[in-house]
Amino acid sequence: MAEELNPETPETSETEEEPIKQRKNGLYPGVSDELAENMKSGWADTELHGLEPIAQASHTAARRAALSARFPGERLVIPAGNLKTRSNDTEYAFRASTEYAYLTGDQTQDGVLVLEPKIDGHDATVYLLPRSNRENGEFWLDGQGELWVGRRHSLAEAEQVLGIPAKDVRKLAAALKDATGPVRNVRGHDAGVEAALTDKVTAERDEELRVYLSEARAVKDAFEIGELQKAVDSTVRGFEDVVKILDKAEATSERYIEGTFFLRARVEGNDIGYGSICAAGPHATTLHWVRNDGDVRPGDLLLLDAGVETHTLYTADVTRTLPIDGRYSEIQRKIYDAVYESQEAGIAAVRPGAKYRDFHDASQHVLAEKLVEWGLLEGPVEKVLELGLQRRWTLHGTGHMLGLDVHDCAAARREAYVDGTLEPGMCLTVEPGLYFQADDLTVPEEYRGIGVRIEDDIVVTEDGNRNLSAGLPRQADEVEAWMAGLKQA
């Protein structure tokens, strides 16, 4: 990695511009006047014209219109967020805030969407960093300059692509400080915006905005469902990739599995949607095992919970529990079949008009029946469920909303989410599991260290549901046949 001459963003005040600071231990002591002048000229005009709008432009416009109607007469501020430092002068890869991406389709750092109230709605403006300055040397001296991190759109180009008027974000803080009237802001993403609005907003009003935007995402439009299907299709191919290299993972560790799936995510999408869970053997009993540094042994199970995130930031979330050597043992199949039966009951309960909780209740009922049948719990089943005794081995809820976030719509009101009703266009996971910890003395020894989860991404349709991840087999015999076919390919 090349050493930046200066990682700091230059001051861009209209009244006084500070020189770009040099790195403390940089190899060059400074920039001569001659070099500075030389770097200003001799560059071709690369402005782009006639750009096509992004695919979701009409959808983001409709979302902004709905937001405008919900908060008439109020200034609404939705930031993308800023870079976060990983260590010293290196940053984490930037990921725009979900609210900002949902309303603009843009993914650039430091962006801010502002809806200015008017008599009959709002005027939307997206505030962005313009192309880096060539006159003051920012484009080659600054750590975020064009020659260091790549070209960004000019404001005129951004307007064409996003379908929203664009202005220089570096002038936004001053404008917000002078703003009058009611203001709401999505907090937690941009400290500079929050400082500018500190005396104009309240936590309660800002939370109402966040909650609205969370609930607005519950029902997906056609574009979103298409993106989720793309994410799932790439995820299916990622799972196939993993099965083909299990012998190499056996010679290394779970990280070979993690790296294999990550390659698919980066080639076909933007990234992974969350930290991949590549849990082999007893690690499968840890719900969010993301260390992925354990052994991969024949005879054990691999619980792979992973999802590709598309270039538009929609993510899949799929889990399969696979026999590493291609065949389930008798006890593994017994537990797997119970989870499969539980998931079948849960998926069958997903339909318009059903309570959101119905799929969870249906899945948990099956698992409780199995635990009683196996003698691990004393019935009746209804009493077990009333007391939640099955949770010792089922642990988590049976699913969640899915979309731009892997746990989408998380800020929604309880009555609109877990206590709500399913509608066509909602997308959720159904993911029951059984987890018998290696040190659990309340179960027979043969159960210990076995964890099984099966997870699919389900969209509610007008007459029922559609399994977006049906391309991956779930039934035990089908899983074994699928794995055998891939290993022979």
Side-chain angles (χ1 to χ4, degrees):
M1 180 178 183
E3 182 185 44
E4 300 168 6
L5 295 179
N6 169 56
E8 299 181 28
T9 300
E11 177 64 45
T12 57
S13 167
E14 294 184 31
T15 58
E16 182 180 355
E17 186 174 277
E18 295 181 0
I20 296 174
K21 299 175 182 177
Q22 299 300 295
R23 178 187 293 275
K24 180 178 180 181
N25 286 303
L27 293 175
Y28 290 105
V31 176
S32 68
D33 292 342
E34 290 79 5
L35 176 58
E37 192 62 30
N38 176 276
M39 290 296 288
K40 291 180 182 180
S41 60
W43 305 99
D45 179 7
T46 60
E47 183 74 8
L48 303 175
H49 304 278
L51 298 175
E52 292 293 324
I54 55 176
Q56 67 267 46
S58 62
H59 296 285
T60 57
R63 297 166 194 166
R64 293 192 300 273
L67 175 61
S68 173
R70 172 62 179 82
F71 298 103
E74 303 186 53
R75 181 176 285 101
L76 308 174
V77 183
I78 301 94
N82 315 124
L83 286 174
K84 292 181 173 61
T85 299
R86 182 180 185 274
S87 176
N88 189 22
D89 60 351
T90 61
E91 294 85 20
Y92 288 104
F94 179 73
R95 204 275 195 185
S97 75
T98 291
E99 295 86 356
Y100 177 84
Y102 177 72
L103 293 168
T104 67
D106 182 49
Q107 298 180 35
T108 56
Q109 68 200 54
D110 302 324
V112 183
L113 174 68
V114 179
L115 271 62
E116 297 282 351
K118 58 181 183 177
I119 294 175
D120 58 347
H122 290 79
D123 286 326
T125 303
V126 61
Y127 289 82
L128 303 167
L129 286 170
R131 290 189 63 188
S132 49
N133 193 319
R134 291 184 184 269
E135 284 300 310
N136 71 354
E138 174 195 357
F139 79 110
W140 72 286
L141 291 173
D142 186 78
Q144 293 300 314
E146 188 169 300
L147 297 194
W148 285 101
V149 298
R151 186 187 189 278
R152 54 182 177 253
H153 278 309
S154 69
L155 297 182
E157 291 168 353
E159 289 186 354
Q160 297 173 64
V161 170
L162 302 177
I164 313 171
K167 294 183 180 179
D168 190 337
V169 72
R170 295 172 296 187
K171 301 176 182 178
L172 178 59
L176 291 177
K177 287 179 181 178
D178 294 336
T180 60
V183 184
R184 295 179 191 260
N185 172 51
V186 177
R187 299 188 180 198
H189 301 299
D190 193 314
V193 167
E194 292 182 22
L197 294 174
T198 185
D199 60 343
K200 305 177 190 302
V201 296
T202 67
E204 293 76 15
R205 289 163 56 78
D206 287 355
E207 181 64 10
E208 286 179 0
L209 173 59
R210 189 172 78 103
V211 168
Y212 167 81
L213 289 172
S214 194
E215 293 180 7
R217 299 197 307 275
V219 175
K220 271 59 181 178
D221 57 38
F223 175 84
E224 293 180 289
I225 293 173
E227 289 300 295
L228 285 167
Q229 186 66 70
K230 288 180 186 177
V232 169
D233 290 346
S234 289
T235 299
V236 168
R237 290 187 283 274
F239 274 65
E240 292 171 347
D241 296 339
V242 166
V243 171
K244 292 176 182 178
I245 57 84
L246 281 177
D247 57 334
K248 295 182 175 63
E250 290 175 21
T252 52
S253 75
E254 295 163 340
R255 291 198 174 175
Y256 204 100
I257 294 168
E258 178 183 0
T260 299
F261 186 85
F262 180 69
L263 176 61
R264 178 66 66 173
R266 286 294 283 167
V267 168
E268 294 193 359
N270 176 62
D271 206 333
I272 50 174
Y274 54 96
S276 298
I277 299 167
C278 308
H283 289 163
T285 65
T286 300
L287 299 186
H288 287 171
W289 177 262
V290 293
R291 299 179 202 171
N292 298 336
D293 59 359
D295 293 331
V296 179
R297 295 180 292 263
D300 282 348
L301 296 176
L302 167 67
L303 191 157
L304 178 60
D305 184 338
V308 172
E309 178 186 77
T310 66
H311 294 292
T312 57
L313 305 185
Y314 288 86
T315 185
D317 182 7
V318 178
T319 306
R320 290 293 183 268
T321 305
L322 310 173
I324 291 170
D325 59 10
R327 303 282 294 180
Y328 295 102
S329 70
E330 182 178 352
I331 184 62
Q332 289 169 351
R333 181 181 282 260
K334 173 183 175 179
I335 296 169
Y336 185 93
D337 286 347
V339 175
Y340 172 76
E341 185 178 332
S342 168
Q343 194 201 26
E344 284 282 272
I347 293 174
V350 176
R351 57 183 179 273
K355 294 296 184 184
Y356 178 87
R357 289 180 175 275
D358 286 354
F359 77 92
H360 169 72
D361 292 342
S363 289
Q364 290 292 300
H365 197 280
V366 171
L367 294 180
E369 287 179 332
K370 296 296 182 182
L371 293 167
V372 170
E373 176 186 323
W374 297 341
L376 303 184
L377 288 173
E378 182 178 346
V381 170
E382 287 69 23
K383 188 67 173 179
V384 168
L385 292 167
E386 178 186 348
L387 298 176
L389 300 180
Q390 83 285 358
R391 292 182 61 187
R392 180 182 179 100
W393 302 289
T394 66
L395 293 173
H396 55 81
T398 311
H400 52 80
M401 292 288 193
L402 185 69
L404 280 168
D405 286 327
V406 66
H407 295 149
D408 208 23
C409 312
R413 294 166 299 159
R414 191 173 186 85
E415 59 266 30
Y417 193 160
V418 295
D419 291 335
T421 301
L422 295 179
E423 301 176 41
M426 289 182 171
C427 186
L428 53 94
T429 67
V430 179
E431 51 173 314
L434 283 173
Y435 312 93
F436 298 102
Q437 304 300 320
D439 59 352
D440 188 347
L441 301 181
T442 69
V443 300
E445 186 174 357
E446 62 178 351
Y447 286 66
R448 297 173 197 166
I450 295 178
V452 174
R453 179 163 66 251
I454 312 172
E455 177 180 20
D456 285 88
D457 300 343
I458 312 296
V459 62
V460 183
T461 62
E462 294 291 341
D463 58 356
N465 69 68
R466 178 163 61 94
N467 186 347
L468 299 177
S469 43
L472 275 179
R474 293 183 294 125
Q475 196 273 335
D477 287 340
E478 293 174 351
V479 170
E480 291 179 345
W482 169 73
M483 293 183 68
L486 288 171
K487 290 181 178 180
Q488 293 170 3

